[in-house]
Amino acid sequence: MEGFKIKIKALTNEIIEISEMMGFKAVKELSTRDGARIDLAILKENEKILAIEFENSYKWIKQRVLYNTIKAHRDGFNRLWIVYPFNNKPLKNSWVGSFIEELGVEIEVIHPKEIGKKLKEFLKSL
């Protein structure tokens, strides 16, 4: 298992800085309508652009991805990024991946080293 511990505070600050620099708003610990929390939400005015969740554990990742997807979906996000430091692909050949497709949420699992570059590219495309 190749990976490393995510430095959540540093990554959160980087994502907030990039988002604000590009005209978006980043909200830490966004409270959802049903009382859950999304680690970091990217918004453009009132539009929900992207939900981001940080996952540091190798164990239970499929269940965590499913839970995170349901939280995002129920709160109106159609795009979710999971920041995950391990090389395994948690949705490959999985019923969880199939269920997420049914929900219509676009999900990406992104390594922490790639999040800054990926976010800049994504926000620039909007």
Side-chain angles (χ1 to χ4, degrees):
M1 278 182 266
E2 188 179 321
F4 66 94
K5 188 162 178 62
I6 298 176
K7 296 178 180 171
I8 294 173
K9 188 173 183 177
L11 284 174
T12 298
N13 290 337
E14 177 185 4
I15 292 167
I16 290 170
E17 185 177 313
I18 291 168
S19 299
E20 290 176 355
M21 184 176 63
M22 297 184 77
F24 294 83
K25 180 179 178 182
V27 179
K28 292 190 285 190
E29 297 291 326
L30 177 76
S31 293
T32 66
R33 293 183 291 235
D34 56 3
R37 290 190 188 273
I38 294 173
D39 290 344
L40 191 57
I42 308 298
L43 311 171
K44 181 80 171 188
E45 296 168 12
N46 290 330
E47 185 182 356
K48 295 178 178 180
I49 302 295
L50 174 65
I52 300 173
E53 295 284 351
F54 299 98
E55 291 298 337
N56 233 354
S57 176
Y58 190 79
K59 191 175 182 181
W60 303 109
I61 187 60
K62 286 181 183 167
Q63 291 86 342
R64 294 294 307 167
V65 169
L66 180 58
Y67 172 67
N68 290 333
T69 304
I70 290 169
K71 284 191 306 184
H73 178 262
R74 288 177 56 95
D75 205 55
F77 288 89
N78 62 7
R79 186 173 287 111
L80 169 67
W81 288 0
I82 306 284
V83 181
Y84 182 64
F86 300 100
N87 286 332
N88 80 325
K89 303 293 181 207
L91 301 177
K92 188 175 180 181
N93 301 322
S94 164
W95 67 268
V96 172
S98 298
F99 184 73
I100 289 170
E101 283 181 27
E102 290 176 31
L103 289 176
V105 176
E106 291 179 37
I107 184 168
E108 277 192 69
V109 179
I110 301 171
H111 194 278
K113 290 180 181 177
E114 300 170 359
I115 189 73
K117 179 182 177 199
K118 184 100 177 150
L119 183 64
K120 286 177 189 174
E121 291 170 358
F122 171 69
L123 295 178
K124 192 181 283 187
S125 74
L126 298 178

